[in-house]
Amino acid sequence: MHGEYKVPGGKLVVADLDVAGEVVRRARISGDFFLEPDDALERINGALAGVPVGAPVAQLAARVRGALGDGVEMLGFSPEAVAVAVRRAVTGASAWTDHAWQFVHDVPREPALQMALDEVLAEQVGSGERPPTLRIWEWASNAVIIGSFQSLANEVDLAGAARHDVTVVRRISGGGAMFVEPGNTITYSLYVPESLVSGLSFVDSYAFLDDWVVGALNELGIAATYQPINDITSPAGKIAGAAQKRFAGGAVLHHVTMAYDMDAAKMVEVLRIGREKLSDKGTTSANKRVDPLRSQTGLERGEVIKRLVGTFDQRYGLADGSIDDATVAEAQRRVDAKFGTEEWLTRVP
């Protein structure tokens, strides 16, 4: 059994296992990490011999940590990273480069149709109809997108939304509300097979799927980091928020909205951003919570997108793709039946 885990912001950990029955008989851990003293690797391998293949990450990490004891330096990885690599091996996880990735830079679409397309495209990846895909969105109008479980009344000032011509929609993933205007955000979705995140906890999968874009932002000169559970931030402020949805058909939807430019005054008139949420971020003003990419890079939006996509392509490869008319038609049917309805929008009043 073979499994790999690239630690977000760290090093690659590889687990090669010999398994007999339901037990790991031999483990060989390798990677581009740093480890001192040299014989600590033998202790890690020894700690994993004899563990049940169904052992959870916490149990595996505890065994590794116990075998290492004090005086060991692990740079770029940790006992938990070793445990994740082992879990990915026994669950048959795939690596990014195992997949032929497709790239779609979509045309501007209305908010409800964007919500429906996310569901349809994820299902297509789960069924094998579509390869794993990176999609850059374009918005046709202003929008507030609330999370699947958020209260409409608590999150959105509907009078403010109407005053600023903002369409309010609800997505299928959890998380918080996002305010977008055409040209002022960079929104993308990853539609991936479940195997890519196999062996990862839900929280760890966020960092894993965001690692490429954090790296791309670093290459743009931004000191971007992942902040659990679902934020990408920098010393200047929050850059992006992510959300996920896992499908019974074997696909994972991971989508991210990044602030390129923003009208903060308009945002606070449309979103009901509570004092408790602001204090949690260590700020006193909604205007200071987010620092857009435009101010941090000085680059045009199109150039930022080009750089981000270029990083993904360099790491994993990308082939141009598209969204066909049948897919759009199916998404429109779901707008009419679900995403564009008052019932869906007010599922949590």
Side-chain angles (χ1 to χ4, degrees), residues 209-242:
L209 294 175
D210 281 338
D211 186 57
W212 70 274
V213 81
V214 171
L217 293 171
N218 293 161
E219 291 173 8
L220 287 172
I222 300 173
T225 56
Y226 164 74
Q227 179 176 311
I229 298 176
N230 63 329
D231 285 348
I232 299 172
T233 189
S234 75
K238 178 178 171 179
I239 296 170

Side-chain angles (χ1 to χ4, degrees), residues 84 87-94 193-200 246:
V84 169
R87 288 298 305 155
R88 285 176 64 75
V90 300
T91 58
S94 59
E194 190 278 334
S195 64
L196 185 64
V197 296
S198 182
L200 297 174
R246 302 197 178 196

Side-chain angles (χ1 to χ4, degrees), residues 152-159 267-274:
L152 175 63
N154 289 344
E155 297 298 327
V156 183
D157 184 326
L158 292 176
M267 181 181 73
V268 298
E269 290 185 28
V270 174
L271 293 181
R272 300 184 187 278
I273 302 176

